[in-house]
């Protein structure tokens, strides 16, 4: 028995009509981490026989890109496709390049299977052995 990853060919066809940013890995990915910064300011006043004070809390939450050498990425222009070779089973996360909104996250793609990103923002498996633009239900996107 040989290693299936040596002949695995996965294509990702972009039928969305927009440029997409594709991330893939052989393991599930964490692309962004939530970073929370909390700060405090205290103000204390002391007068004869009395004290007053106030505390102000502020927080700042943002998503920070998490760089991991095991995660690979590339861009696919509208109505084009790209090939991932020799990786075997992969997990796919895809974002629209212009808005950063998510199409899919950690979408499981078995070895030697290809997918189509549809105009509605869905992920469909390609009809094995057919055109890269034809899904398993024989719908065409390109």
């Amino acid at each position: 028995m040989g290693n299936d990853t040596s002949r695995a060919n996965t294509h990702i066809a972009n039928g969305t009509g927009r440029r997409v940013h594709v991330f893939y890995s052989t393991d599930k990915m964490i692309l962004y981490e939530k970073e929370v910064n909390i700060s405090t300011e205290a103000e204390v006043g002391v007068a004869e026989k009395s004290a007053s004070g106030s505390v102000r809390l502020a927080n700042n939450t943002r998503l920070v890109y998490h760089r991991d050498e095991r995660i690979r990425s590339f861009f696919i222009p509208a109505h084009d496709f790209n090939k991932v070779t020799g990786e075997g089973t992969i997990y796919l996360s895809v974002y629209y390049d212009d808005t950063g909104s998510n199409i899919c996250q950690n979408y499981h793609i078995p070895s030697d299977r290809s997918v189509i990103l549809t105009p509605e923002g869905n992920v469909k498996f390609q009809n094995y052995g057919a055109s890269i633009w034809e899904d398993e239900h024989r719908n065409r996107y390109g």
Side-chain angles (χ1 to χ4, degrees):
M1 300 218 143
N3 184 349
D4 285 342
T5 61
S6 64
R7 47 175 212 248
N9 289 308
T10 297
H11 291 83
I12 302 156
N14 180 10
T16 65
R18 296 158 62 184
R19 183 171 127 136
V20 295
H21 196 174
V22 175
F23 297 87
Y24 69 96
S25 178
T26 55
D27 296 313
K28 287 190 175 181
M29 299 171 272
I30 298 174
L31 295 175
Y32 293 92
E33 293 179 336
K34 189 180 279 189
E35 181 180 274
V36 179
N37 294 311
I38 298 175
S39 61
T40 60
E41 285 183 23
E43 196 175 289
V44 178
V46 179
E48 263 183 60
K49 298 186 181 184
S50 69
S52 65
S54 65
V55 176
R56 188 175 71 168
L57 293 175
N59 78 17
N60 179 15
T61 303
R62 65 186 183 137
L63 291 177
V64 178
Y65 178 67
H66 175 72
R67 185 70 184 140
D68 186 334
E69 297 80 36
R70 296 170 298 174
I71 300 172
R72 295 182 182 95
S73 72
F74 52 81
F75 292 94
I76 305 176
H79 310 295
D80 203 353
F81 63 92
N82 207 337
K83 181 178 180 180
V84 177
T85 306
E87 294 292 336
T89 297
I90 63 170
Y91 292 90
L92 184 73
S93 294
V94 182
Y95 297 83
Y96 291 110
D97 187 39
D98 55 355
T99 63
S101 60
N102 181 285
I103 295 173
C104 68
Q105 188 168 355
N106 287 314
Y107 192 91
H108 178 258
I109 302 176
S111 179
D112 205 28
R113 289 303 311 265
S114 295
V115 293
I116 304 164
L117 307 173
T118 71
E120 297 81 23
N122 297 315
V123 181
K124 303 277 186 171
F125 280 104
Q126 178 252 355
N127 188 9
Y128 198 84
S131 164
I132 186 65
W133 300 105
E134 183 177 298
D135 73 13
E136 293 179 307
H137 302 286
R138 301 195 186 280
N139 297 314
R140 292 192 57 83
Y141 296 94

